[in-house]
């Protein structure tokens, strides 16, 4: 039986976003974890998987719900993690790499801010395995615009549920506030994990994909 538990986060460390806003957001996250458990506890019985029409069917509802709940769970884990517990001064290898690729930190912030403004769901800084470079991916829903084999470094929720209670329609003000709360220690940890993975894989394989697929 699946019984995944929601992670807990130190919302008291967040500056400029109210506890009410964060608590209501957290409830949505808990709901995704709960639905993921429910979906993954459905037994593999013919009665549960042989209704599979692509317009409307039990299987179609199940599969759409599964990716939504799974990505909703993972993305909120990463988002709450990278916006709590301070460490808000940019530093370290991840800052150096961002600056190298985007010319300046301000350019990077301006770019991710505008990706966030243009999307309805998420703006995510990843390192993609196809070129080992940073990319900022935009998506409108948890499971729309997602990419495979791309390693998340910074996850920003731009759904209206993330800010509307505190900021109304002023999404830019919310994004600025989020950026002030970025936990750079977490970003450095993720970046170092990717580098370690890349090194360990390249020792054994003659390819560029740190996950070993191509
Ligand atoms: Fe959210």
């Amino acid at each position: 039986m699946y019984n995944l538990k929601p992670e807990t986060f130190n919302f008291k460390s967040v500056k400029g976003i109210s506890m009410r806003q964060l608590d209501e957001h957290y409830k949505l996250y808990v709901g995704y974890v709960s639905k993921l458990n429910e979906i993954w506890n459905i037994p593999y019985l013919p009665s549960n998987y042989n209704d599979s029409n692509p317009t409307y069917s039990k299987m179609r509802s199940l599969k759409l719900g599964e990716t939504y709940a799974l990505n909703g769970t993972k993305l909120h884990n990463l988002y709450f993690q990278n916006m709590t517990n301070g460490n808000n001064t940019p530093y370290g290898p991840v800052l150096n790499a961002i600056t190298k690729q985007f010319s300046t930190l301000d350019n990077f912030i301006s770019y991710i801010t505008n990706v966030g403004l243009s999307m309805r769901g998420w703006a995510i800084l990843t390192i993609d395995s196809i070129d080992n470079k940073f990319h900022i991916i935009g998506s409108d829903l948890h499971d729309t615009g997602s990419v495979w084999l791309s390693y998340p470094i910074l996850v920003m929720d731009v759904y209206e549920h993330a800010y509307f209670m505190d900021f109304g329609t002023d999404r830019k003000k919310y994004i600025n506030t989020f950026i002030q709360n970025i936990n750079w220690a977490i970003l450095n940890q993720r970046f170092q994990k990717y580098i370690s993975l890349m090194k360990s894989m390249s020792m054994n394989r003659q390819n560029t994909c740190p996950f070993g697929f191509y």
Side-chain angles (χ1 to χ4, degrees):
M1 288 289 285
Y2 277 95
N3 189 20
L4 300 170
K5 304 284 187 199
E7 287 186 27
T8 55
F9 305 95
N10 178 17
F11 287 148
K12 286 182 182 165
S13 65
V14 178
K15 297 180 264 315
I17 303 177
S18 71
M19 195 57 77
R20 183 164 174 250
Q21 172 72 74
L22 292 163
D23 283 344
E24 290 300 314
H25 197 171
Y26 186 78
K27 284 181 195 171
L28 293 177
Y29 158 67
V30 171
Y32 300 136
V33 179
S34 167
K35 278 292 168 190
L36 186 59
N37 282 321
E38 185 182 328
I39 289 166
W40 279 354
N41 282 325
I42 296 171
Y44 294 112
L45 298 173
S47 58
N48 287 329
Y49 62 69
N50 62 6
D51 172 16
S52 51
N53 183 281
T55 301
Y56 171 71
S57 63
K58 205 170 181 177
M59 180 60 90
R60 182 170 171 78
S61 296
L62 177 67
K63 290 294 119 180
L64 292 177
E66 182 181 26
T67 54
Y68 194 80
L70 178 55
N71 271 7
T73 297
K74 287 181 183 174
L75 288 170
H76 283 96
N77 277 346
L78 295 165
Y79 165 73
F80 288 135
Q81 201 178 53
N82 66 214
M83 68 177 287
T84 51
N85 285 333
N87 296 300
N88 304 134
T89 304
Y91 77 99
V94 75
L95 174 64
N96 295 339
I98 285 172
T99 305
K100 193 174 172 189
Q101 188 173 323
F102 294 91
S103 300
T104 64
L105 179 62
D106 284 347
N107 267 351
F108 163 71
I109 289 172
S110 175
Y111 187 21
I112 197 168
T113 297
N114 283 286
V115 173
L117 290 172
S118 72
M119 289 290 124
R120 299 168 190 162
W122 298 94
I124 302 171
L125 174 71
T126 72
I127 303 175
D128 201 275
S129 58
I130 206 158
D131 61 0
N132 289 314
K133 289 187 184 304
F134 290 120
H135 296 273
I136 299 179
I137 305 298
S139 72
D140 281 344
L141 293 167
H142 304 330
D143 54 353
T144 301
S146 305
V147 290
W148 296 78
L149 296 175
S150 219
Y151 192 91
I153 301 293
L154 174 65
V155 174
M156 177 167 71
D157 193 337
V158 294
Y159 269 92
E160 288 169 354
H161 67 235
Y163 65 88
F164 221 79
M165 215 173 264
D166 280 359
F167 299 92
T169 57
D170 196 347
R171 183 185 290 188
K172 192 166 190 178
K173 191 175 177 188
Y174 156 69
I175 290 175
N176 290 340
T177 306
F178 168 81
I179 287 167
Q180 297 303 313
N181 281 289
I182 289 173
N183 183 332
W184 286 84
I186 294 290
L187 269 57
N188 276 299
Q189 278 174 28
R190 291 174 185 166
F191 185 66
Q192 295 290 9
K193 272 186 195 169
Y194 183 84
I195 301 290
S196 301
L197 187 63
M198 190 164 59
K199 282 181 180 165
S200 65
M201 295 302 289
S202 64
M203 282 195 304
N204 301 317
R205 288 173 173 272
Q206 297 299 313
N207 57 29
T208 56
C209 174
F211 304 106
F213 287 95
Y214 47 82

